[in-house]
Amino acid sequence: MPVSPIVKISNLDKFFGRLHVLKNISLEVPERQVICLIGRSGSGKSTLLRCINFLEEPSRGKIEVDGIQVDAEGKGKEQRKLIHDVRLKTGMVFQEFNLFPHMSVLENVIEGPVTVKGMDRKHAIELAEQNLDSVGMLFKKDEYPLRLSGGQKQRVAIARALTMEPRVMLFDEPTSALDPELIGEVLNVMKKVATEGMTMIVVTHEMGFARDVADRVIVMSDGELIEDANPDELFSNPKDPRTQALIDRYRSGEQ
Amino acid sequence: MPVSPIVKISNLDKFFGRLHVLKNISLEVPERQVICLIGRSGSGKSTLLRCINFLEEPSRGKIEVDGIQVDAEGKGKEQRKLIHDVRLKTGMVFQEFNLFPHMSVLENVIEGPVTVKGMDRKHAIELAEQNLDSVGMLFKKDEYPLRLSGGQKQRVAIARALTMEPRVMLFDEPTSALDPELIGEVLNVMKKVATEGMTMIVVTHEMGFARDVADRVIVMSDGELIEDANPDELFSNPKDPRTQALIDRYRSGEQ
Amino acid sequence: GGGGGSTATDLLGAVKERGYILVSSDLNYEPQSFPKTDGSRPSDTACPADALTSEEIQGFDVDVALAIGEALGVETCFVTPDWDLITAGSWADKWDISVGSMTVTTARQQALDFSVPYYYTPAVVAVAADSGITSLSELSGQAICAGTATTYEFWLNNDMEGLGLPEASVYSSAPEGITVVPLSTDQECAQAIEAGRTDFIAYVTSETVVDANIAAGIPVVKLDGAVYSEDLAAAFDKSSSLPTDTLRAAVDEAITAMHNDGTLSELSNKWFGMDITQAPNQ
Amino acid sequence: MASITNEGQMPASQAELLYQAQLRKERVFRMHVGISWGVLFLILIFLFSGQHIEFGGFTFKTINVDSEFIFKNITFIAGGLGQTLLISVLSILFAIVMALFAALGRLSKFPPIYALSTFYVSLIRGTPLYLQIFFFFLALPQLGIVLSGIVSGVLALGLNYGAYMSETFRAGLSSVGKGQREAAMALGMTPGQTMMRIVLPQALRFAIPPMGNDFISMTKDSALVSATGFVHELMWRATKVGRAQFNSLEALIMAAMFYWVMTLILTYFQSKLEARLSKGDR
Amino acid sequence: MASITNEGQMPASQAELLYQAQLRKERVFRMHVGISWGVLFLILIFLFSGQHIEFGGFTFKTINVDSEFIFKNITFIAGGLGQTLLISVLSILFAIVMALFAALGRLSKFPPIYALSTFYVSLIRGTPLYLQIFFFFLALPQLGIVLSGIVSGVLALGLNYGAYMSETFRAGLSSVGKGQREAAMALGMTPGQTMMRIVLPQALRFAIPPMGNDFISMTKDSALVSATGFVHELMWRATKVGRAQFNSLEALIMAAMFYWVMTLILTYFQSKLEARLSKGDR
Ligand SMILES: Nc1ncnc2c1ncn2[C@@H]1O[C@H](COP(=O)(O)OP(=O)(O)OP(=O)(O)O)[C@@H](O)[C@H]1O
Ligand SMILES: Nc1ncnc2c1ncn2[C@@H]1O[C@H](COP(=O)(O)OP(=O)(O)OP(=O)(O)O)[C@@H](O)[C@H]1O
Ligand SMILES: [Mg+2]
Ligand SMILES: [Mg+2]
């Protein structure tokens, strides 16, 4: 029984000035799948991810998230409404956490539901506490972000995104700004979210995570998707020589 | 034939306010040895390293570098002279590179010899070009730091330190601010410096590097040196349970 | 400024030695003293670089100052500090004399010495033309404007001590219950009425100024009759480091001579279109 | 992390000694700075003490101020403090509103709004405050808009400071990282919500220290408003008594003292506020 | 990284089209802003055009300026530009020196130096500029220090701006990261070498934009110096001809135009300079 994909990217192009950063990208992500996006710096991973929720405006092509279809070349009020709807369907976690420093942990997490969805404050708090608990951060709910470690911040950021009850979670190198010993706690939370059935697209350098958790690993190079396979296959037997080179680089860094 | 150590730290204590950060540390480093310093965040690794060239003033104890002995509790002009001499014997590489942004690569590298040692400019340039070449950065000598990648910056920083012809090189997490794929190039340069016989003390999270290059790995915890062994021994058979925990953490991050 | 390295023991000697006299004047009033906008500094002047020459400013006061300089046998140069710096004394030897239509008052005499008067102006009240007011008593309870720290402000405040004129020259007292509005100069009072402001409907100043205002089209009329008369004279700083009495005597002598030979009357007719150099009620 | 001393080899008392020594050093520095300030203040007072000092053939005079005048008039001048503060507070509030609009307008993608905001800032920063006050007081009535002295003063000051302050706000807005906006947008916030709930609160916090400085200089610039004649703040009173009694220097020094004390108090609160903000949730 | 289009699926010409469309959008925005500025400028001119407009029973007047007066006096007022610029340049240079000393003094560990620098900044920022000019001109001579009008003006302005600017420099100094100092010290540089070769060059670059702003407001504050009577800059000329001929508004508008144009030119150079600095090696 083939399910229709929850995210569908069709013929996406993105230019920065004259720079062609995404080249006619098409990609389908079925529900509950966990995808890891890897590739060299500057290959366009972040740009692709950010095009999905229109933090970056694609130059042309179509994005569809949970049935909402947006054409890059749409305009005006209707387009803004569509983009808003897509954003409600997606949750995003950034490398730099981007918690709101002037709000406590709890306020950070209820900000979205209350302001954007107009959710009743009490209900929002309930939901927020539930999600903070599931990332193990409930005990810091009245703390301000300043006082949290990097790993704790990122876990709150994940709870904040989850509390909007998105259909898809987008992660852009969620552990790159962390001290090595804090990476584990964030990866564990992400694993947990994955096992609970969330659809996830994760840009990452963490090969261990890709191997253990991803259903598919997609390799980007120079704005194109050059390989798309399950992790075991990809790591043991890469088809593209560029993938091979990438994997070798990671190995040498690790050793 | 026992050689006298080139760096000798005796009974070093360091307080920040009431916080006891280094606790009665003693350590000897023979010439040409490469030492990796590992430990959890906040254990005092950076502080120990920075006490060696007095970027941090130790609260008490003695530091001896290449025969120059400095007592932490010394004072006045003489003390300043001793510290200056120690700094001439040591080169330091920082996590954040700290290149001088208003000077070109070459100017960065000759700044020390010319301003501090009063070296003839021509001679300094010769020496600088030699060192830039050996870190593979001669081709960027007229570029400004802004235009370099992180890895390139760090290689210039290493050349800058080498051009002062120090007896000991101190590295404080030289690859932590780098993109994963740039880490390799810096580690390779460090390997090269090591094989050329430089005495090195390296604070690092790169277990691969520690395994391959270090003569000794020293583990810090809560301001104390808790283990000191050669890398194979340490990684395969750690004595202290805290060392074991540390190694496990790194493993889980890697996988 | 003046002084410096001189051997003279009094101000007159110093002036003669350096060959010019430094006169302070307030350039806010036409026709007393105002900029000559098309003038330029002559090349052969002895005046210091930061002082103005007779080619750059003009007016009745300016001509009187020039005549004084001529009588002393020196060139006349001008500086233009704020009016209240002049009237406050303590000039720190920055200039020698003020020839700026300054009213002789007892208060000012604490800080300044005065020459004999060189002309006399009646103070009058100007009212907005559309106010319909024709007499002083109708101004009771109204707001009236004057230049800050002028004799007109003192008169409005009924401060006879501050005004410091001999009783004989004060003809009437200020209306009852008025609000005094002091602006930077009386010219601002005139311009406020011209602009259509209604904060006040009258101002007090010298008759010559009101005449000039009316000629310039400012919609005001003069109330009949002067409210007091002022003696206007040259002033000297009491705190001068060199004695000024000899200079003062020389200036007195020059002014008296100009009164006598009709020079002053001629200048008055030239600038004011009438002769106001004769003392009133004497 | 590293815990308190008693588990190290060094006894706790010695750690405490080292810590106390450090604290003492800081205390001594602060004390010496305080003493030096005292000495400098005494020198300042000495400069104005009117001493005549002779040693050898050399005489040295200091500036003479009339302390009797100061005691007599201090309460009169102090009476202007209220007006000074009132005008400053009103003007700064208005300035904040203007600055906010100008800074937001500068971010607008609608050309007329963008142009209006840059035009406003350029025109106001390009012309003197004095002219702006004059304009509100004397030119606006010609358009049929007659404002009282204090209102035109507050409008002019507020518009003026608003233009300068808008640059501060702009810096504040751009100090809020792009990541903050993106996080808000990713949550589905509208640009308006992002601005009001995420960006502005952080930008204002950044802008508070320079706004404090603006308020401090506003207290002095508010003096210009007295040119409109209906505002009798600190400087106006000082100039007035100074002129009337030929003690301008004394009067100005008194005003300066009040301004200085006001500044010191404001600076104190400002630094308290800054410390609180930087300790807080940033 | 990602290379130029022609290897993608989209033909190069289409990529170019998209890029051109983007450029066009920016150009259109700039053009519309330009047009809006023009309209605003026309509105400004209209406000001063002295129109009487009637529609229905409603009449609307705009401000009337005397254009004949403007043409007659424009060269006279423009003659003050040189003095304005001269004073501003000299004062700003002096201010930079003072600011540098004050900012460095603030970093000193020697209490008297630290105290001197903070005392200076506090005293100057706490008191009005006008008093400071007055002090240099008329009070300092009592100490036997006699300065010419322009010198006392430049000293007062320079000291005043120096105090404010020292805060800018301080911010500049602290904008240079601790890492820079540490890298220099690790190379064996003395604190002096570190300051001169590493920290100052970077701090100055940071301080240049606010210094540009200071220079722009200095052009306006330099007008205060004319109170001393020896300086005849833009504003002095405007006030004097304006008052003497009852056209203060026109005269001030002329001065404002000169200031504005001066500001626009300076702002232009400032933004060029900033662009160069930020594009450079930072
Ligand atoms: N806002 C922008 N303006 C111009 N060019 C940009 C912009 N953002 C990204 N780029 C360029 O687009 C290309 C792709 O960038 P992107 O950030 O998507 O790469 P990435 O794969 O995420 O790299 P990294 O691993 O370094 O995060 C790069 O060449 C980058 O320089
Ligand atoms: N300047 C300082 N003032 C006060 N406390 C400090 C200062 N620098 C470091 N510390 C504290 O000293 C302890 C040791 O810090 P240090 O930077 O040496 O640890 P580290 O082992 O290098 O950690 P990391 O791996 O995070 O760099 C920490 O508790 C830290 O908070
Ligand atoms: Mg990226
Ligand atoms: Mg460290």
Side-chain angles (χ1 to χ4, degrees), chain E residues 49-65:
Chain E
S49 64
Q51 308 283 325
H52 281 251
I53 297 160
E54 302 200 25
F55 49 90
F58 185 76
T59 74
F60 178 73
K61 279 195 316 175
T62 66
I63 299 164
N64 191 9
V65 301

Side-chain angles (χ1 to χ4, degrees), chain E residues 11-66:
Chain E
S13 59
Q14 294 205 10
E16 193 59 32
L17 276 180
L18 273 167
Y19 179 57
Q20 294 302 339
Q22 177 60 27
L23 285 188
R24 205 170 325 114
K25 231 169 96 183
E26 285 164 18
R27 237 183 352 252
V28 166
F29 181 79
R30 274 201 305 274
M31 204 182 66
H32 282 177
V33 169
I35 293 173
S36 307
W37 258 69
V39 170
L40 288 168
F41 198 72
L42 287 178
I43 292 177
L44 196 65
I45 290 178
F46 171 74
L47 275 185
F48 288 96
S49 64
Q51 308 283 325
H52 281 251
I53 297 160
E54 302 200 25
F55 49 90
F58 185 76
T59 74
F60 178 73
K61 279 195 316 175
T62 66
I63 299 164
N64 191 9
V65 301
D66 178 348

Side-chain angles (χ1 to χ4, degrees), chain C residues 181-204:
Chain C
V181 181
L183 294 185
S184 325
T185 70
D186 34 24
Q187 306 297 48
E188 266 84 36
C189 300
Q191 290 178 35
I193 287 184
E194 185 183 25
R197 289 199 68 87
T198 50
D199 313 277
F200 44 81
I201 54 168
Y203 57 94
V204 186

Side-chain angles (χ1 to χ4, degrees), chain A:
Chain A
M1 183 186 71
V3 236
S4 77
I6 191 156
V7 175
K8 188 173 164 193
I9 300 172
S10 329
N11 302 93
L12 196 74
D13 276 287
K14 171 67 185 171
F15 292 84
F16 283 118
R18 280 197 169 86
L19 199 66
H20 201 169
V21 176
L22 297 180
K23 297 174 186 159
N24 197 38
I25 302 244
S26 297
L27 175 66
E28 300 195 355
V29 184
E31 206 164 344
R32 291 165 177 270
Q33 214 174 53
V34 175
I35 293 192
C36 279
L37 210 54
I38 67 173
R40 298 190 49 176
S41 178
S43 56
K45 307 179 296 291
S46 299
T47 307
L48 177 58
L49 200 73
R50 293 156 55 85
C51 278
I52 296 175
N53 67 350
F54 287 82
L55 283 189
E56 224 54 89
E57 253 180 71
S59 305
R60 44 156 54 197
K62 285 195 180 68
I63 306 272
E64 185 178 331
V65 180
D66 197 24
I68 299 166
Q69 207 189 25
V70 197
D71 188 315
E73 288 163 286
K75 283 216 158 51
K77 208 168 160 180
E78 201 176 337
Q79 178 83 351
R80 282 202 294 279
K81 171 84 177 78
L82 287 175
I83 292 177
H84 184 250
D85 289 345
V86 166
R87 287 185 181 156
L88 287 183
K89 301 276 183 190
T90 53
M92 188 152 193
V93 175
F94 301 84
Q95 176 178 337
E96 294 296 344
F97 329 127
N98 293 342
L99 294 184
F100 305 133
H102 57 304
M103 299 178 178
S104 72
V105 162
L106 187 67
E107 287 165 349
N108 260 282
V109 180
I110 64 170
E111 178 65 23
V114 171
T115 305
V116 177
K117 289 186 167 173
M119 190 186 284
D120 171 62
R121 212 180 146 81
K122 239 193 192 141
H123 183 194
I125 291 179
E126 249 168 54
L127 202 64
E129 291 188 340
Q130 206 173 302
N131 280 309
L132 281 172
D133 200 20
S134 92
V135 300
M137 286 300 300
L138 188 55
F139 74 116
K140 290 277 189 189
K141 77 178 160 76
D142 296 318
E143 201 60 92
Y144 280 83
L146 178 73
R147 315 225 167 201
L148 303 181
S149 76
Q152 292 176 330
K153 281 184 198 161
Q154 198 59 297
R155 280 147 64 197
V156 173
I158 294 172
R160 178 173 69 178
L162 289 175
T163 309
M164 289 298 282
E165 301 182 313
R167 301 298 311 275
V168 185
M169 286 282 285
L170 310 173
F171 293 83
D172 193 359
E173 306 199 20
T175 57
S176 293
L178 299 179
D179 278 347
E181 51 174 299
L182 302 176
I183 292 177
E185 62 187 65
V186 172
L187 293 180
N188 284 337
V189 166
M190 287 169 62
K191 256 177 230 180
K192 194 171 161 206
V193 174
T195 52
E196 283 165 6
M198 178 63 75
T199 312
M200 290 169 52
I201 308 180
V202 186
V203 175
T204 186
H205 291 292
E206 293 295 328
M207 293 303 127
F209 179 82
R211 231 170 317 180
D212 293 359
V213 185
D215 298 305
R216 276 158 79 189
V217 176
I218 295 178
V219 185
M220 281 195 81
S221 177
D222 268 351
E224 297 178 81
L225 308 185
I226 57 168
E227 194 146 357
D228 179 349
N230 79 47
D232 292 335
E233 203 178 304
L234 187 108
F235 286 113
S236 56
N237 186 20
K239 291 195 201 93
D240 196 297
R242 287 171 291 180
T243 309
Q244 183 65 57
L246 187 73
I247 294 173
D248 289 348
R249 269 173 179 270
Y250 282 121
R251 290 250 163 81
S252 86
E254 250 170 48
Q255 291 286 338

Side-chain angles (χ1 to χ4, degrees), chain B residues 37-81:
Chain B
L37 210 54
I38 66 174
R40 298 189 51 175
S41 179
S43 56
K45 307 180 295 291
S46 299
T47 307
L48 176 57
L49 200 72
R50 293 156 55 83
C51 278
I52 295 176
N53 67 351
F54 287 83
L55 284 188
E56 225 52 270
E57 254 179 69
S59 305
R60 45 156 55 197
K62 285 197 180 65
I63 305 272
E64 184 178 331
V65 180
D66 196 26
I68 299 166
Q69 208 189 25
V70 197
D71 189 314
E73 289 164 284
K75 281 212 161 55
K77 209 168 159 181
E78 201 176 337
Q79 178 83 350
R80 283 201 294 277
K81 172 83 178 76

Side-chain angles (χ1 to χ4, degrees), chain D:
Chain D
M1 304 285 131
S3 58
I4 305 298
T5 54
N6 49 10
E7 63 182 20
Q9 267 75 348
M10 182 181 273
S13 60
Q14 293 205 9
E16 194 56 28
L17 277 180
L18 273 166
Y19 179 57
Q20 294 301 340
Q22 177 60 28
L23 286 189
R24 207 171 324 115
K25 232 169 95 183
E26 286 163 19
R27 237 182 354 250
V28 167
F29 181 79
R30 275 200 304 275
M31 202 182 68
H32 282 177
V33 169
I35 294 173
S36 307
W37 259 69
V39 170
L40 288 167
F41 197 72
L42 288 179
I43 292 177
L44 196 65
I45 290 177
F46 171 74
L47 276 185
F48 288 96
S49 64
Q51 307 284 324
H52 281 252
I53 297 159
E54 302 201 24
F55 50 89
F58 185 76
T59 73
F60 178 74
K61 280 195 315 178
T62 67
I63 299 165
N64 192 8
V65 301
D66 176 351
S67 54
E68 195 191 324
F69 172 86
I70 290 188
F71 288 120
K72 233 177 56 198
N73 292 290
I74 196 155
T75 48
F76 176 73
I77 293 184
L81 270 173
Q83 285 241 12
T84 293
L85 277 175
L86 178 71
I87 295 173
S88 304
V89 169
L90 290 178
S91 307
I92 213 84
L93 290 179
F94 181 51
I96 290 172
V97 175
M98 290 307 301
L100 207 55
F101 279 116
L104 290 179
R106 189 69 183 260
L107 296 176
S108 170
K109 282 180 187 135
F110 184 52
I113 299 287
Y114 178 90
L116 190 64
S117 127
T118 51
F119 189 81
Y120 156 62
V121 172
S122 174
L123 177 64
I124 297 283
R125 300 210 325 161
T127 55
L129 174 56
Y130 176 75
L131 166 76
Q132 292 156 20
I133 292 175
F134 188 93
F135 174 82
F136 275 89
F137 189 64
L138 284 185
L140 225 47
Q142 292 195 39
L143 292 177
I145 305 165
V146 183
L147 303 168
S148 79
I150 198 161
V151 170
S152 31
V154 166
L155 282 185
L157 276 175
L159 276 178
N160 185 277
Y161 271 69
Y164 284 91
M165 221 185 252
S166 77
E167 299 287 299
T168 308
F169 279 17
R170 217 153 63 87
L173 289 176
S174 66
S175 79
V176 180
K178 216 175 119 215
Q180 291 288 315
R181 278 169 241 257
E182 290 185 345
M185 276 159 59
L187 283 176
M189 290 196 191
T190 63
Q193 289 169 334
T194 305
M195 181 54 72
M196 295 309 295
R197 303 207 36 96
I198 306 302
V199 179
L200 264 192
Q202 295 182 55
L204 279 182
R205 194 159 310 183
F206 179 93
I208 278 181
M211 275 163 58
N213 289 336
D214 283 339
F215 187 61
I216 287 171
S217 44
M218 177 74 92
T219 56
K220 271 143 264 157
D221 274 342
S222 63
L224 275 177
V225 177
S226 64
T228 61
F230 292 90
V231 178
H232 304 136
E233 42 64 69
L234 215 48
M235 197 70 174
W236 183 86
R237 287 168 182 249
T239 333
K240 181 165 173 75
V241 293
R243 277 176 183 168
Q245 299 177 41
F246 309 106
N247 280 308
S248 288
L249 183 64
E250 285 80 357
L252 286 175
I253 289 173
M254 271 193 277
M257 283 294 151
F258 284 117
Y259 281 122
W260 194 10
V261 170
M262 217 150 62
T263 301
L264 288 175
I265 294 172
L266 290 172
T267 309
Y268 175 79
F269 282 116
Q270 189 189 2
S271 66
K272 283 275 144 193
L273 190 64
E274 274 174 50
R276 247 190 63 191
L277 287 179
S278 72
K279 205 170 61 188
D281 32 342
R282 242 209 170 228

Side-chain angles (χ1 to χ4, degrees), chain C residues 1-2 22 26-30 33-38 49-52 56-57 78-82 84-85 89-92 94-95 184-185 187-188 190-191 194 209 212-213 216 218, chain E residues 61 72-73 75-77 83 130 134 136-139 141-142 145-152 224 226-232 236-237 239-250:
Chain C
L22 213 44
D26 183 16
L27 263 56
N28 286 316
Y29 296 92
E30 185 175 349
S33 70
F34 57 105
K36 192 188 272 181
T37 55
D38 51 359
D50 51 6
L52 297 177
E56 292 161 284
I57 64 174
F78 297 89
V79 297
T80 57
D82 279 3
D84 48 308
L85 295 187
S90 301
W91 297 344
K94 300 275 181 185
W95 53 88
S184 325
T185 70
Q187 306 297 48
E188 266 84 36
Q191 290 178 35
E194 185 183 25
V209 172
N213 290 167
I218 291 173
Chain E
K61 279 195 316 175
K72 233 179 56 197
N73 292 292
T75 48
F76 175 70
I77 293 183
Q83 287 237 12
Y130 179 76
F134 187 94
F136 275 90
F137 188 61
L138 288 183
Q142 292 195 39
I145 304 166
V146 182
L147 303 168
S148 79
I150 199 161
V151 170
S152 34
L224 274 179
S226 66
T228 62
F230 289 91
V231 176
H232 305 120
W236 182 86
R237 287 168 181 251
T239 11
K240 298 302 152 168
V241 289
R243 278 183 182 150
Q245 300 178 40
F246 315 111
N247 281 308
S248 287
L249 184 61
E250 286 80 357

Side-chain angles (χ1 to χ4, degrees), chain B residues 130-149:
Chain B
Q130 205 173 305
N131 280 308
L132 281 172
D133 199 22
S134 92
V135 301
M137 287 299 300
L138 188 55
F139 73 117
K140 290 277 189 191
K141 76 180 162 74
D142 295 318
E143 203 59 273
Y144 279 83
L146 178 73
R147 316 223 165 203
L148 303 181
S149 76

